[in-house]
């Protein structure tokens, strides 16, 4: 009798706790399921976090590098490029400041790496505007003229344009970028130059400006190397 009683008690415990273990086994898959209800969201994140971390690590390894991870063009590390303080002098009317700053931000982005001069940002306080302007023009490899209806009505912009033309006439250094201006309305001095159209596709136009600057730096850097090599041979 005593053995039967003890056996009954043991059977009851097995039945009771075996059922709880089965219930837990049924809950566990729910914790890791994507269709799990919101009531289990906290438990799900704590249970699945190791596999999630592993997945994130795999994703970061297999993902392609972003544009900013790409190395800068080698010409940006050349001695010729380093000979001047700025890569691009940006000339624009005050009414077009937003457009000029947007283009400058693109050129100066870490993935592009250019150095730009903006008068409102880079002209030192207390400096004579004409003196600082002339210095910036002379200390820049290329000159970007943001040609808009505001530009052609602004005597100060036209003065800057003539300063640029006097420094490098008929050269790749002058980059006219046109917005809302037909060629027939461009200043006469610029109609013989190729222009960048920022009307149809702004992003493509920005890229054209960037490539034009790089091409000039590359051409002049190679020319300087050839000249130095010739002098060494001589």
């Amino acid at each position: 009798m005593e053995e039967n009683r003890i056996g009954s008690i043991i059977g009851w415990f097995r039945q009771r706790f075996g059922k709880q273990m089965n219930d837990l086994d049924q809950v566990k898959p729910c914790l890791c399921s994507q269709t799990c209800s919101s009531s289990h969201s906290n438990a799900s994140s704590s249970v699945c976090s190791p596999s999630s971390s592993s997945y994130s690590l795999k994703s970061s390894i297999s993902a392609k590098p972003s544009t900013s991870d790409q190395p800068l063009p080698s010409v940006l590390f050349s001695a010729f490029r380093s000979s001047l303080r700025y890569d691009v002098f940006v000339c624009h009317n005050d009414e077009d400041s937003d457009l000029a700053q947007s283009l400058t931000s693109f050129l100066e982005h870490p993935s592009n790496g250019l150095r730009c001069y903006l008068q409102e940002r880079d002209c030192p306080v207390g400096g004579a505007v004409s003196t600082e302007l002339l210095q910036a023009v002379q200390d820049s490899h290329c000159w970007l003229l943001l040609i808009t209806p505001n530009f052609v009505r602004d005597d100060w912009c036209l003065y800057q344009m003539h300063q640029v033309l006097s420094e490098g006439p008929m050269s790749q250094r002058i980059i006219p970028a046109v917005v809302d201006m037909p060629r027939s309305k461009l200043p006469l001095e610029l109609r013989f130059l190729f222009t960048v159209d920022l009307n149809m596709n702004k992003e493509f136009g920005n890229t054209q400006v960037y490539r034009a600057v790089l091409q000039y730096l590359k051409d002049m850097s190679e020319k300087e190397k050839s000249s130095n090599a010739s002098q060494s041979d001589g």
Side-chain angles (χ1 to χ4, degrees):
M1 291 289 295
E2 187 66 23
E3 291 179 357
N4 292 336
R5 185 177 178 184
I6 292 173
S8 298
I9 293 173
I10 292 174
W12 181 84
F13 272 101
R14 285 178 177 172
Q15 181 179 5
R16 177 66 175 172
F17 290 103
K19 185 173 186 286
Q20 288 185 354
M21 293 300 291
N22 289 334
D23 290 342
L24 287 175
D25 290 339
Q26 293 176 2
V27 170
K28 283 182 181 178
C30 178
L31 292 176
C32 296
S33 173
Q34 292 181 352
T35 58
C36 183
S37 64
S38 59
S39 62
H40 294 122
S41 58
N42 292 334
S44 175
S45 60
S46 63
V47 173
C48 297
S49 58
S51 59
S52 298
S53 301
S54 175
Y55 177 77
S56 299
L57 181 60
K58 274 185 195 175
S59 298
S60 63
I61 294 174
S62 61
K64 293 182 179 179
S66 63
T67 305
S68 60
D69 294 330
Q70 300 297 326
L72 292 173
S74 59
V75 71
L76 297 185
F77 302 96
S78 65
F80 174 78
R81 190 250 187 163
S82 301
S83 64
L84 296 180
R85 184 177 181 183
Y86 302 105
D87 299 309
V88 186
F89 175 92
V90 182
C91 177
H92 66 92
N93 177 266
D94 291 342
E95 296 295 323
D96 303 316
S97 291
D98 289 344
L99 182 58
Q101 290 174 12
S102 175
L103 180 53
T104 298
S105 295
F106 173 83
L107 298 175
E108 292 183 333
H109 190 275
S111 62
N112 294 326
L114 295 186
R115 307 161 302 172
C116 298
Y117 177 89
L118 274 177
Q119 179 183 317
E120 63 268 28
R121 181 191 69 183
D122 299 313
C123 187
V125 176
V129 175
S130 57
T131 302
E132 295 296 336
L133 169 68
L134 180 59
Q135 180 61 44
V137 168
Q138 294 175 342
D139 210 12
S140 300
H141 286 292
C142 294
W143 307 301
L144 174 66
L145 305 177
L146 195 56
I147 310 297
T148 68
N150 297 318
F151 184 100
V152 298
R153 291 192 297 262
D154 188 338
D155 291 337
W156 177 239
C157 285
L158 295 177
Y159 171 76
Q160 293 181 71
M161 180 188 73
H162 287 111
Q163 286 293 327
V164 164
L165 288 168
S166 67
E167 288 290 328
M170 299 297 291
S171 71
Q172 291 176 283
R173 303 178 71 181
I174 303 173
I175 307 173
V178 181
V179 181
D180 298 330
M181 287 285 295
R183 178 169 288 274
S184 60
K185 297 296 183 182
L186 294 179
L188 291 174
E189 299 89 337
L190 301 179
R191 292 184 191 177
F192 59 87
L193 297 177
F194 286 107
T195 61
V196 176
D197 186 356
L198 296 180
N199 289 301
M200 300 298 294
N201 189 326
K202 181 180 175 183
E203 183 177 352
F204 178 71
N206 290 350
T207 302
Q208 280 187 302
V209 172
Y210 178 67
R211 288 176 178 172
V213 176
L214 287 186
Q215 189 62 51
Y216 170 76
L217 293 176
K218 180 180 178 182
D219 291 345
M220 295 305 298
S221 180
E222 291 177 352
K223 183 177 180 180
E224 184 179 67
K225 287 180 181 179
S226 299
S227 177
N228 292 338
S230 298
Q231 292 177 3
S232 299
D233 294 339

PDB file of all heavy atoms in Angstrom, residues 3-17:
ATOM      1  N   GLU A   3       3.915   1.539  -0.979  1.00  0.00           N
ATOM      2  CA  GLU A   3       4.616   1.719  -2.247  1.00  0.00           C
ATOM      3  C   GLU A   3       3.691   2.276  -3.307  1.00  0.00           C
ATOM      4  O   GLU A   3       4.072   3.120  -4.116  1.00  0.00           O
ATOM      5  CB  GLU A   3       5.182   0.365  -2.714  1.00  0.00           C
ATOM      6  CG  GLU A   3       6.323  -0.136  -1.833  1.00  0.00           C
ATOM      7  CD  GLU A   3       6.840  -1.471  -2.310  1.00  0.00           C
ATOM      8  OE1 GLU A   3       6.251  -2.011  -3.282  1.00  0.00           O
ATOM      9  OE2 GLU A   3       7.821  -1.954  -1.738  1.00  0.00           O
ATOM     10  N   ASN A   4       2.423   1.811  -3.307  1.00  0.00           N
ATOM     11  CA  ASN A   4       1.456   2.344  -4.283  1.00  0.00           C
ATOM     12  C   ASN A   4       1.201   3.819  -4.045  1.00  0.00           C
ATOM     13  O   ASN A   4       1.037   4.600  -4.989  1.00  0.00           O
ATOM     14  CB  ASN A   4       0.145   1.561  -4.200  1.00  0.00           C
ATOM     15  CG  ASN A   4       0.311   0.134  -4.693  1.00  0.00           C
ATOM     16  OD1 ASN A   4       1.226  -0.157  -5.478  1.00  0.00           O
ATOM     17  ND2 ASN A   4      -0.552  -0.766  -4.227  1.00  0.00           N
ATOM     18  N   ARG A   5       1.157   4.211  -2.779  1.00  0.00           N
ATOM     19  CA  ARG A   5       0.890   5.619  -2.437  1.00  0.00           C
ATOM     20  C   ARG A   5       2.054   6.496  -2.908  1.00  0.00           C
ATOM     21  O   ARG A   5       1.854   7.564  -3.479  1.00  0.00           O
ATOM     22  CB  ARG A   5       0.705   5.752  -0.936  1.00  0.00           C
ATOM     23  CG  ARG A   5       0.309   7.151  -0.504  1.00  0.00           C
ATOM     24  CD  ARG A   5       0.072   7.183   0.992  1.00  0.00           C
ATOM     25  NE  ARG A   5      -0.260   8.519   1.392  1.00  0.00           N
ATOM     26  CZ  ARG A   5      -0.443   8.885   2.659  1.00  0.00           C
ATOM     27  NH1 ARG A   5      -0.326   7.961   3.621  1.00  0.00           N
ATOM     28  NH2 ARG A   5      -0.757  10.130   2.964  1.00  0.00           N
ATOM     29  N   ILE A   6       3.273   6.004  -2.601  1.00  0.00           N
ATOM     30  CA  ILE A   6       4.447   6.776  -3.026  1.00  0.00           C
ATOM     31  C   ILE A   6       4.487   6.867  -4.555  1.00  0.00           C
ATOM     32  O   ILE A   6       4.781   7.914  -5.137  1.00  0.00           O
ATOM     33  CB  ILE A   6       5.729   6.110  -2.496  1.00  0.00           C
ATOM     34  CG1 ILE A   6       5.775   6.233  -0.969  1.00  0.00           C
ATOM     35  CG2 ILE A   6       6.969   6.779  -3.099  1.00  0.00           C
ATOM     36  CD1 ILE A   6       6.917   5.474  -0.333  1.00  0.00           C
ATOM     37  N   GLY A   7       4.174   5.731  -5.239  1.00  0.00           N
ATOM     38  CA  GLY A   7       4.158   5.740  -6.700  1.00  0.00           C
ATOM     39  C   GLY A   7       3.147   6.720  -7.252  1.00  0.00           C
ATOM     40  O   GLY A   7       3.370   7.390  -8.249  1.00  0.00           O
ATOM     41  N   SER A   8       1.987   6.840  -6.604  1.00  0.00           N
ATOM     42  CA  SER A   8       0.952   7.786  -7.044  1.00  0.00           C
ATOM     43  C   SER A   8       1.442   9.211  -6.908  1.00  0.00           C
ATOM     44  O   SER A   8       1.192  10.076  -7.763  1.00  0.00           O
ATOM     45  CB  SER A   8      -0.331   7.570  -6.231  1.00  0.00           C
ATOM     46  OG  SER A   8      -0.837   6.283  -6.439  1.00  0.00           O
ATOM     47  N   ILE A   9       2.093   9.470  -5.755  1.00  0.00           N
ATOM     48  CA  ILE A   9       2.601  10.843  -5.530  1.00  0.00           C
ATOM     49  C   ILE A   9       3.650  11.200  -6.586  1.00  0.00           C
ATOM     50  O   ILE A   9       3.642  12.288  -7.169  1.00  0.00           O
ATOM     51  CB  ILE A   9       3.204  10.955  -4.116  1.00  0.00           C
ATOM     52  CG1 ILE A   9       2.091  10.821  -3.071  1.00  0.00           C
ATOM     53  CG2 ILE A   9       3.928  12.288  -3.939  1.00  0.00           C
ATOM     54  CD1 ILE A   9       2.591  10.752  -1.641  1.00  0.00           C
ATOM     55  N   ILE A  10       4.594  10.275  -6.847  1.00  0.00           N
ATOM     56  CA  ILE A  10       5.630  10.526  -7.858  1.00  0.00           C
ATOM     57  C   ILE A  10       5.002  10.732  -9.228  1.00  0.00           C
ATOM     58  O   ILE A  10       5.381  11.628  -9.993  1.00  0.00           O
ATOM     59  CB  ILE A  10       6.616   9.344  -7.888  1.00  0.00           C
ATOM     60  CG1 ILE A  10       7.427   9.298  -6.585  1.00  0.00           C
ATOM     61  CG2 ILE A  10       7.559   9.472  -9.083  1.00  0.00           C
ATOM     62  CD1 ILE A  10       8.326   8.085  -6.470  1.00  0.00           C
ATOM     63  N   GLY A  11       3.995   9.930  -9.561  1.00  0.00           N
ATOM     64  CA  GLY A  11       3.313  10.087 -10.844  1.00  0.00           C
ATOM     65  C   GLY A  11       2.658  11.439 -10.979  1.00  0.00           C
ATOM     66  O   GLY A  11       2.656  12.061 -12.040  1.00  0.00           O
ATOM     67  N   TRP A  12       2.059  11.901  -9.820  1.00  0.00           N
ATOM     68  CA  TRP A  12       1.400  13.231  -9.851  1.00  0.00           C
ATOM     69  C   TRP A  12       2.409  14.332 -10.120  1.00  0.00           C
ATOM     70  O   TRP A  12       2.173  15.228 -10.905  1.00  0.00           O
ATOM     71  CB  TRP A  12       0.703  13.453  -8.498  1.00  0.00           C
ATOM     72  CG  TRP A  12      -0.032  14.789  -8.446  1.00  0.00           C
ATOM     73  CD1 TRP A  12      -1.278  15.043  -8.899  1.00  0.00           C
ATOM     74  CD2 TRP A  12       0.490  16.006  -7.930  1.00  0.00           C
ATOM     75  NE1 TRP A  12      -1.606  16.353  -8.689  1.00  0.00           N
ATOM     76  CE2 TRP A  12      -0.502  16.983  -8.093  1.00  0.00           C
ATOM     77  CE3 TRP A  12       1.714  16.367  -7.325  1.00  0.00           C
ATOM     78  CZ2 TRP A  12      -0.342  18.292  -7.678  1.00  0.00           C
ATOM     79  CZ3 TRP A  12       1.861  17.675  -6.924  1.00  0.00           C
ATOM     80  CH2 TRP A  12       0.859  18.632  -7.109  1.00  0.00           C
ATOM     81  N   PHE A  13       3.586  14.254  -9.452  1.00  0.00           N
ATOM     82  CA  PHE A  13       4.632  15.273  -9.657  1.00  0.00           C
ATOM     83  C   PHE A  13       5.128  15.256 -11.111  1.00  0.00           C
ATOM     84  O   PHE A  13       5.325  16.299 -11.724  1.00  0.00           O
ATOM     85  CB  PHE A  13       5.816  15.017  -8.708  1.00  0.00           C
ATOM     86  CG  PHE A  13       5.647  15.695  -7.361  1.00  0.00           C
ATOM     87  CD1 PHE A  13       5.243  14.973  -6.252  1.00  0.00           C
ATOM     88  CD2 PHE A  13       5.888  17.062  -7.221  1.00  0.00           C
ATOM     89  CE1 PHE A  13       5.081  15.599  -5.017  1.00  0.00           C
ATOM     90  CE2 PHE A  13       5.725  17.681  -5.989  1.00  0.00           C
ATOM     91  CZ  PHE A  13       5.324  16.948  -4.877  1.00  0.00           C
ATOM     92  N   ARG A  14       5.332  14.053 -11.638  1.00  0.00           N
ATOM     93  CA  ARG A  14       5.801  13.949 -13.031  1.00  0.00           C
ATOM     94  C   ARG A  14       4.803  14.557 -13.999  1.00  0.00           C
ATOM     95  O   ARG A  14       5.149  15.267 -14.935  1.00  0.00           O
ATOM     96  CB  ARG A  14       6.028  12.479 -13.383  1.00  0.00           C
ATOM     97  CG  ARG A  14       7.303  11.899 -12.766  1.00  0.00           C
ATOM     98  CD  ARG A  14       7.432  10.439 -13.119  1.00  0.00           C
ATOM     99  NE  ARG A  14       8.683   9.884 -12.603  1.00  0.00           N
ATOM    100  CZ  ARG A  14       8.978   8.594 -12.638  1.00  0.00           C
ATOM    101  NH1 ARG A  14       8.101   7.729 -13.170  1.00  0.00           N
ATOM    102  NH2 ARG A  14      10.130   8.165 -12.152  1.00  0.00           N
ATOM    103  N   GLN A  15       3.517  14.224 -13.720  1.00  0.00           N
ATOM    104  CA  GLN A  15       2.464  14.745 -14.603  1.00  0.00           C
ATOM    105  C   GLN A  15       2.388  16.266 -14.515  1.00  0.00           C
ATOM    106  O   GLN A  15       2.258  16.950 -15.511  1.00  0.00           O
ATOM    107  CB  GLN A  15       1.126  14.101 -14.227  1.00  0.00           C
ATOM    108  CG  GLN A  15      -0.034  14.575 -15.139  1.00  0.00           C
ATOM    109  CD  GLN A  15      -1.344  13.922 -14.768  1.00  0.00           C
ATOM    110  OE1 GLN A  15      -1.417  13.181 -13.776  1.00  0.00           O
ATOM    111  NE2 GLN A  15      -2.364  14.177 -15.538  1.00  0.00           N
ATOM    112  N   ARG A  16       2.507  16.794 -13.288  1.00  0.00           N
ATOM    113  CA  ARG A  16       2.361  18.240 -13.052  1.00  0.00           C
ATOM    114  C   ARG A  16       3.505  19.027 -13.689  1.00  0.00           C
ATOM    115  O   ARG A  16       3.304  19.945 -14.476  1.00  0.00           O
ATOM    116  CB  ARG A  16       2.304  18.492 -11.543  1.00  0.00           C
ATOM    117  CG  ARG A  16       2.235  19.972 -11.161  1.00  0.00           C
ATOM    118  CD  ARG A  16       0.947  20.595 -11.626  1.00  0.00           C
ATOM    119  NE  ARG A  16       0.826  21.963 -11.175  1.00  0.00           N
ATOM    120  CZ  ARG A  16      -0.131  22.778 -11.581  1.00  0.00           C
ATOM    121  NH1 ARG A  16      -1.046  22.357 -12.458  1.00  0.00           N
ATOM    122  NH2 ARG A  16      -0.186  24.005 -11.120  1.00  0.00           N
ATOM    123  N   PHE A  17       4.743  18.669 -13.353  1.00  0.00           N
ATOM    124  CA  PHE A  17       5.893  19.431 -13.820  1.00  0.00           C
ATOM    125  C   PHE A  17       6.244  19.094 -15.260  1.00  0.00           C
ATOM    126  O   PHE A  17       6.811  19.913 -15.977  1.00  0.00           O
ATOM    127  CB  PHE A  17       7.093  19.193 -12.894  1.00  0.00           C
ATOM    128  CG  PHE A  17       6.891  19.823 -11.530  1.00  0.00           C
ATOM    129  CD1 PHE A  17       6.548  19.055 -10.434  1.00  0.00           C
ATOM    130  CD2 PHE A  17       7.026  21.195 -11.377  1.00  0.00           C
ATOM    131  CE1 PHE A  17       6.350  19.642  -9.198  1.00  0.00           C
ATOM    132  CE2 PHE A  17       6.840  21.779 -10.132  1.00  0.00           C
ATOM    133  CZ  PHE A  17       6.491  21.009  -9.033  1.00  0.00           C
TER     134      PHE A  17
END
